[in-house]
Amino acid sequence: MLAYIVRRVALIPVTLFGIMLINFAIAQLAPGGPVDLMIARIEGSAVSATQRVSGGGSELAGAQSAAGESRGNDLYRGARGLNPAFIKELRKQFGFDKPPAERFWLMMGNYLRFDFGNSFYSDQSVIHIILQRLPVSISLGLWSTLIIYLVSIPLGIAKATRDGSTFDIATSWAVIVGYAVPGFLFAVFLIVIFAGGRYLDWFPLRGLTSQGWSHFSLMDKIGDYLWHMALPVTALVVGGFAGLTMLTKNCFLDEINKQYVITARAKGLSEKRVLYGHVFRNAMLLIIAGFPSAFVGILFTGALLVEIIFSLNGIGLLGFQAVINRDYPVMFGTLYMFSLLGLVLNLVSDLTYHLVDPRIDFETREV
């Protein structure tokens, strides 16, 4: 076991380096970097200011003349008409005065010390921004994952023990809906029905807490928090319970039909003793071991559109905004942190297999 853990831990830096290198290369090839966006904003502000000045014809002619003087600057298409010295200073401000290879090694050196720098568009550090958004994503990921497991496992067991019955067929319709309807689409449906969209106005439309939440009593704080969490968590649960329910059912059906179950029944053991004393442990191996990765999946990927719909400032929305704005420190800082977290949790998932079933031998398993 120890040798396996050492091998897996040794692979984490190599895998993380590969992830960062590939994404960094893609970011360099993608059009429209942070310098381009900043120039576009400056040009847009200049155009707006020119349009507001009376006698705008002379200003427009002056702008065209300045653009003509800078025709040779083809590095940034939006930079025509701007002072080349200003462009050079802008590149230095964003760190683009160095070649890509040097920037990558500097970035990785800083990331090894967990120094992610500051956002391009605010004076806040990347760590501070992430810590501000993390409570929202943890709330969504933790509650939705727990509820999905609490609903899916009993439902999957019930469907397996009643395979082919009316109950199994009826609940299969709920599973089909869960498969067919995306979580974000169900979120829109919940808003229309329950958040003042057209019918009822029972739940808030945005935010994690109400205004003035810090002044509430403890019970009022808990109630207000759960009130805000109800709809987004419901949307995530509906979108995620179907797969786990069918996985649980199939795992139990596979174990129920094995020889050791037939032998246990032949010895006169009750059906409850057979199911929970023998089948449960083997059938739950895959399900329990997958909990860490399931939590990470919901936490950092599945909640993006739900966060946008309910105006929740979580990690998913942060990453989306960073990509749109080409905020590279936030992009690569969050990628590094959560890739590292995902690799560690993958190792935890494997070790969970051993805790659930000590018969699993990792020493003979190839990494």
Side-chain angles (χ1 to χ4, degrees):
M1 173 64 72
L2 181 60
Y4 174 79
I5 295 175
V6 171
R7 292 198 304 267
R8 286 294 301 271
V9 171
L11 277 176
I12 288 177
V14 179
T15 307
L16 188 60
F17 179 84
I19 292 172
M20 297 302 298
L21 179 61
I22 292 172
N23 283 274
F24 184 85
I26 293 173
Q28 305 313 303
L29 297 174
V35 178
D36 298 277
L37 291 180
M38 183 59 68
I39 290 173
R41 292 177 182 179
I42 293 172
E43 290 289 335
S45 300
V47 171
S48 299
T50 301
Q51 290 174 346
R52 288 195 298 268
V53 177
S54 59
S58 59
E59 284 81 355
L60 180 59
Q64 291 172 341
S65 175
E69 295 174 359
S70 302
R71 288 295 178 193
N73 189 359
D74 293 328
L75 181 60
Y76 300 102
R77 287 179 295 176
R80 295 173 179 174
L82 295 178
N83 191 333
F86 173 75
I87 302 300
K88 183 178 180 180
E89 184 63 29
L90 199 60
R91 283 172 52 80
K92 184 177 180 180
Q93 177 184 341
F94 286 107
F96 282 80
D97 56 330
K98 302 179 180 66
E102 184 179 350
R103 285 189 281 118
F104 176 75
W105 287 111
L106 286 173
M107 180 185 74
M108 292 304 297
N110 291 330
Y111 284 7
L112 287 175
R113 303 190 301 270
F114 289 92
D115 178 11
F116 302 106
N118 294 335
S119 168
F120 280 161
Y121 305 104
S122 71
D123 293 330
Q124 295 180 324
S125 68
V126 174
I127 291 291
H128 180 71
I129 295 173
I130 292 175
L131 291 178
Q132 280 184 324
R133 304 290 188 97
L134 205 54
V136 174
S137 292
I138 289 178
S139 295
L140 290 174
L142 181 62
W143 291 119
S144 58
T145 303
L146 288 176
I147 294 174
I148 286 172
Y149 269 74
L150 290 174
V151 171
S152 300
I153 292 175
L155 180 59
I157 294 174
K159 286 175 67 64
T161 56
R162 298 172 176 83
D163 185 39
S165 66
T166 304
F167 172 82
D168 182 36
I169 296 172
T171 53
S172 292
W173 285 103
V175 174
I176 291 172
V177 171
Y179 270 125
V181 181
F184 72 89
L185 189 60
F186 192 73
V188 174
F189 170 79
L190 292 175
I191 288 175
V192 171
I193 301 298
F194 298 108
R198 177 172 293 182
Y199 300 100
L200 305 173
D201 192 10
W202 290 354
F203 295 95
L205 184 58
R206 62 181 64 240
L208 188 63
T209 56
S210 298
Q211 192 172 12
W213 182 82
S214 59
H215 302 291
F216 293 176
S217 65
L218 178 60
M219 294 305 298
D220 288 340
K221 285 182 177 179
I222 295 175
D224 183 75
Y225 168 77
L226 295 177
W227 184 46
H228 282 77
M229 281 286 99
L231 294 188
V233 169
T234 301
L236 288 174
V237 168
V238 169
F241 90 100
L244 185 59
T245 298
M246 295 308 299
L247 176 62
T248 304
K249 176 186 175 181
N250 293 334
C251 287
F252 271 80
L253 282 177
D254 184 56
E255 293 295 325
I256 287 173
N257 295 323
K258 288 185 176 179
Q259 184 62 43
Y260 75 90
V261 176
I262 299 174
T263 304
R265 287 170 174 165
K267 290 181 177 180
L269 296 179
S270 65
E271 193 65 24
K272 185 176 181 181
R273 177 75 180 275
V274 171
L275 182 63
Y276 294 102
H278 296 273
V279 175
F280 186 83
R281 179 178 179 178
N282 295 325
M284 291 300 293
L285 176 62
L286 181 62
I287 298 166
I288 295 175
F291 179 83
S293 57
F295 174 69
V296 173
I298 294 177
L299 182 59
F300 301 124
T301 58
L304 170 60
L305 293 176
V306 173
E307 287 179 8
I308 294 174
I309 291 170
F310 288 99
S311 300
L312 298 171
N313 291 323
I315 296 297
L317 184 58
L318 173 65
F320 175 75
Q321 292 171 338
V323 172
I324 294 299
N325 295 322
R326 301 298 194 272
D327 196 347
Y328 288 164
V330 177
M331 278 177 55
F332 292 118
T334 53
L335 175 65
Y336 182 89
M337 289 184 62
F338 299 128
S339 295
L340 178 60
L341 178 62
L343 292 171
V344 171
L345 286 179
N346 280 335
L347 175 58
V348 172
S349 295
D350 283 348
L351 298 180
T352 307
Y353 277 106
H354 180 74
L355 294 176
V356 175
D357 190 351
R359 296 172 298 176
I360 295 178
D361 183 14
F362 285 102
E363 296 298 335
T364 59
R365 175 180 171 181
E366 295 292 334
V367 180

